[in-house]
PDB file of all heavy atoms in Angstrom:
ATOM      1  N   GLY F 220       3.117   1.924 -16.049  1.00 92.00           N
ATOM      2  CA  GLY F 220       4.352   2.291 -16.734  1.00 92.00           C
ATOM      3  C   GLY F 220       5.068   3.390 -15.972  1.00 92.00           C
ATOM      4  O   GLY F 220       5.001   3.460 -14.745  1.00 92.00           O
ATOM      5  N   THR F 221       5.757   4.261 -16.719  1.00 94.00           N
ATOM      6  CA  THR F 221       6.485   5.353 -16.077  1.00 94.00           C
ATOM      7  C   THR F 221       5.514   6.497 -15.789  1.00 94.00           C
ATOM      8  O   THR F 221       5.058   7.176 -16.692  1.00 94.00           O
ATOM      9  CB  THR F 221       7.637   5.835 -16.986  1.00 94.00           C
ATOM     10  OG1 THR F 221       8.462   4.715 -17.287  1.00 94.00           O
ATOM     11  CG2 THR F 221       8.465   6.902 -16.297  1.00 94.00           C
ATOM     12  N   THR F 222       5.214   6.715 -14.509  1.00 96.00           N
ATOM     13  CA  THR F 222       4.261   7.769 -14.129  1.00 96.00           C
ATOM     14  C   THR F 222       4.978   9.121 -14.144  1.00 96.00           C
ATOM     15  O   THR F 222       6.216   9.175 -14.174  1.00 96.00           O
ATOM     16  CB  THR F 222       3.730   7.504 -12.708  1.00 96.00           C
ATOM     17  OG1 THR F 222       4.839   7.635 -11.800  1.00 96.00           O
ATOM     18  CG2 THR F 222       3.104   6.127 -12.586  1.00 96.00           C
ATOM     19  N   PRO F 223       4.222  10.245 -14.086  1.00 96.00           N
ATOM     20  CA  PRO F 223       4.882  11.556 -14.028  1.00 96.00           C
ATOM     21  C   PRO F 223       5.872  11.652 -12.855  1.00 96.00           C
ATOM     22  O   PRO F 223       6.943  12.246 -12.997  1.00 96.00           O
ATOM     23  CB  PRO F 223       3.708  12.529 -13.831  1.00 96.00           C
ATOM     24  CG  PRO F 223       2.530  11.831 -14.438  1.00 96.00           C
ATOM     25  CD  PRO F 223       2.745  10.366 -14.182  1.00 96.00           C
ATOM     26  N   PHE F 224       5.534  11.059 -11.706  1.00 97.00           N
ATOM     27  CA  PHE F 224       6.437  11.071 -10.545  1.00 97.00           C
ATOM     28  C   PHE F 224       7.731  10.313 -10.863  1.00 97.00           C
ATOM     29  O   PHE F 224       8.838  10.797 -10.573  1.00 97.00           O
ATOM     30  CB  PHE F 224       5.712  10.436  -9.347  1.00 97.00           C
ATOM     31  CG  PHE F 224       6.594  10.144  -8.169  1.00 97.00           C
ATOM     32  CD1 PHE F 224       7.068  11.176  -7.369  1.00 97.00           C
ATOM     33  CD2 PHE F 224       6.948   8.832  -7.857  1.00 97.00           C
ATOM     34  CE1 PHE F 224       7.888  10.903  -6.271  1.00 97.00           C
ATOM     35  CE2 PHE F 224       7.759   8.553  -6.759  1.00 97.00           C
ATOM     36  CZ  PHE F 224       8.233   9.592  -5.969  1.00 97.00           C
ATOM     37  N   MET F 225       7.600   9.146 -11.478  1.00 97.00           N
ATOM     38  CA  MET F 225       8.798   8.367 -11.812  1.00 97.00           C
ATOM     39  C   MET F 225       9.631   9.080 -12.877  1.00 97.00           C
ATOM     40  O   MET F 225      10.867   9.061 -12.828  1.00 97.00           O
ATOM     41  CB  MET F 225       8.392   6.958 -12.282  1.00 97.00           C
ATOM     42  CG  MET F 225       7.789   6.114 -11.161  1.00 97.00           C
ATOM     43  SD  MET F 225       6.894   4.658 -11.768  1.00 97.00           S
ATOM     44  CE  MET F 225       8.243   3.564 -12.157  1.00 97.00           C
ATOM     45  N   ALA F 226       8.944   9.730 -13.823  1.00 96.00           N
ATOM     46  CA  ALA F 226       9.664  10.454 -14.881  1.00 96.00           C
ATOM     47  C   ALA F 226      10.463  11.609 -14.287  1.00 96.00           C
ATOM     48  O   ALA F 226      11.616  11.849 -14.673  1.00 96.00           O
ATOM     49  CB  ALA F 226       8.676  10.966 -15.928  1.00 96.00           C
ATOM     50  N   LEU F 227       9.862  12.318 -13.328  1.00 96.00           N
ATOM     51  CA  LEU F 227      10.564  13.432 -12.669  1.00 96.00           C
ATOM     52  C   LEU F 227      11.809  12.911 -11.952  1.00 96.00           C
ATOM     53  O   LEU F 227      12.895  13.500 -12.045  1.00 96.00           O
ATOM     54  CB  LEU F 227       9.626  14.123 -11.671  1.00 96.00           C
ATOM     55  CG  LEU F 227      10.254  15.285 -10.895  1.00 96.00           C
ATOM     56  CD1 LEU F 227      10.527  16.467 -11.817  1.00 96.00           C
ATOM     57  CD2 LEU F 227       9.354  15.732  -9.738  1.00 96.00           C
ATOM     58  N   ALA F 228      11.630  11.792 -11.239  1.00 96.00           N
ATOM     59  CA  ALA F 228      12.762  11.211 -10.510  1.00 96.00           C
ATOM     60  C   ALA F 228      13.874  10.814 -11.476  1.00 96.00           C
ATOM     61  O   ALA F 228      15.061  11.099 -11.247  1.00 96.00           O
ATOM     62  CB  ALA F 228      12.291   9.988  -9.723  1.00 96.00           C
ATOM     63  N   GLN F 229      13.490  10.187 -12.570  1.00 95.00           N
ATOM     64  CA  GLN F 229      14.502   9.737 -13.541  1.00 95.00           C
ATOM     65  C   GLN F 229      15.232  10.919 -14.155  1.00 95.00           C
ATOM     66  O   GLN F 229      16.452  10.880 -14.338  1.00 95.00           O
ATOM     67  CB  GLN F 229      13.839   8.872 -14.623  1.00 95.00           C
ATOM     68  CG  GLN F 229      13.413   7.502 -14.083  1.00 95.00           C
ATOM     69  CD  GLN F 229      12.525   6.718 -15.037  1.00 95.00           C
ATOM     70  OE1 GLN F 229      12.428   7.034 -16.217  1.00 95.00           O
ATOM     71  NE2 GLN F 229      11.862   5.691 -14.529  1.00 95.00           N
ATOM     72  N   SER F 230      14.480  11.999 -14.435  1.00 95.00           N
ATOM     73  CA  SER F 230      15.150  13.161 -15.040  1.00 95.00           C
ATOM     74  C   SER F 230      16.083  13.838 -14.035  1.00 95.00           C
ATOM     75  O   SER F 230      17.013  14.544 -14.426  1.00 95.00           O
ATOM     76  CB  SER F 230      14.138  14.154 -15.617  1.00 95.00           C
ATOM     77  OG  SER F 230      13.403  14.723 -14.563  1.00 95.00           O
ATOM     78  N   ALA F 231      15.842  13.606 -12.729  1.00 95.00           N
ATOM     79  CA  ALA F 231      16.746  14.163 -11.707  1.00 95.00           C
ATOM     80  C   ALA F 231      17.882  13.177 -11.401  1.00 95.00           C
ATOM     81  O   ALA F 231      18.669  13.407 -10.473  1.00 95.00           O
ATOM     82  CB  ALA F 231      15.962  14.476 -10.442  1.00 95.00           C
ATOM     83  N   GLY F 232      17.946  12.068 -12.117  1.00 95.00           N
ATOM     84  CA  GLY F 232      19.043  11.105 -11.937  1.00 95.00           C
ATOM     85  C   GLY F 232      18.792  10.091 -10.834  1.00 95.00           C
ATOM     86  O   GLY F 232      19.705   9.363 -10.428  1.00 95.00           O
ATOM     87  N   ALA F 233      17.556  10.016 -10.320  1.00 96.00           N
ATOM     88  CA  ALA F 233      17.255   9.090  -9.224  1.00 96.00           C
ATOM     89  C   ALA F 233      16.785   7.736  -9.768  1.00 96.00           C
ATOM     90  O   ALA F 233      16.284   7.646 -10.888  1.00 96.00           O
ATOM     91  CB  ALA F 233      16.188   9.681  -8.315  1.00 96.00           C
ATOM     92  N   ARG F 234      16.930   6.728  -8.929  1.00 96.00           N
ATOM     93  CA  ARG F 234      16.408   5.394  -9.226  1.00 96.00           C
ATOM     94  C   ARG F 234      14.904   5.431  -8.965  1.00 96.00           C
ATOM     95  O   ARG F 234      14.462   6.099  -8.036  1.00 96.00           O
ATOM     96  CB  ARG F 234      17.096   4.414  -8.267  1.00 96.00           C
ATOM     97  CG  ARG F 234      16.875   2.961  -8.505  1.00 96.00           C
ATOM     98  CD  ARG F 234      18.004   2.155  -7.822  1.00 96.00           C
ATOM     99  NE  ARG F 234      17.928   2.168  -6.360  1.00 96.00           N
ATOM    100  CZ  ARG F 234      17.649   1.090  -5.615  1.00 96.00           C
ATOM    101  NH1 ARG F 234      17.385  -0.064  -6.193  1.00 96.00           N
ATOM    102  NH2 ARG F 234      17.645   1.154  -4.297  1.00 96.00           N
ATOM    103  N   SER F 235      14.116   4.709  -9.744  1.00 97.00           N
ATOM    104  CA  SER F 235      12.677   4.698  -9.474  1.00 97.00           C
ATOM    105  C   SER F 235      12.143   3.273  -9.502  1.00 97.00           C
ATOM    106  O   SER F 235      12.684   2.418 -10.197  1.00 97.00           O
ATOM    107  CB  SER F 235      11.911   5.565 -10.484  1.00 97.00           C
ATOM    108  OG  SER F 235      11.959   4.970 -11.756  1.00 97.00           O
ATOM    109  N   ALA F 236      11.091   3.066  -8.715  1.00 97.00           N
ATOM    110  CA  ALA F 236      10.446   1.752  -8.698  1.00 97.00           C
ATOM    111  C   ALA F 236       8.957   1.951  -8.549  1.00 97.00           C
ATOM    112  O   ALA F 236       8.507   2.912  -7.930  1.00 97.00           O
ATOM    113  CB  ALA F 236      10.979   0.916  -7.536  1.00 97.00           C
ATOM    114  N   ASP F 237       8.181   1.038  -9.129  1.00 97.00           N
ATOM    115  CA  ASP F 237       6.740   1.105  -8.924  1.00 97.00           C
ATOM    116  C   ASP F 237       6.344   0.192  -7.763  1.00 97.00           C
ATOM    117  O   ASP F 237       7.195  -0.433  -7.135  1.00 97.00           O
ATOM    118  CB  ASP F 237       5.975   0.768 -10.215  1.00 97.00           C
ATOM    119  CG  ASP F 237       6.099  -0.689 -10.590  1.00 97.00           C
ATOM    120  OD1 ASP F 237       6.655  -1.484  -9.804  1.00 97.00           O
ATOM    121  OD2 ASP F 237       5.619  -1.056 -11.677  1.00 97.00           O
TER     122      ASP F 237
END
Side-chain angles (χ1 to χ4, degrees):
T221 304
T222 65
F224 169 73
M225 292 164 78
L227 179 69
Q229 289 169 15
S230 67
R234 189 159 70 112
S235 68
D237 70 7

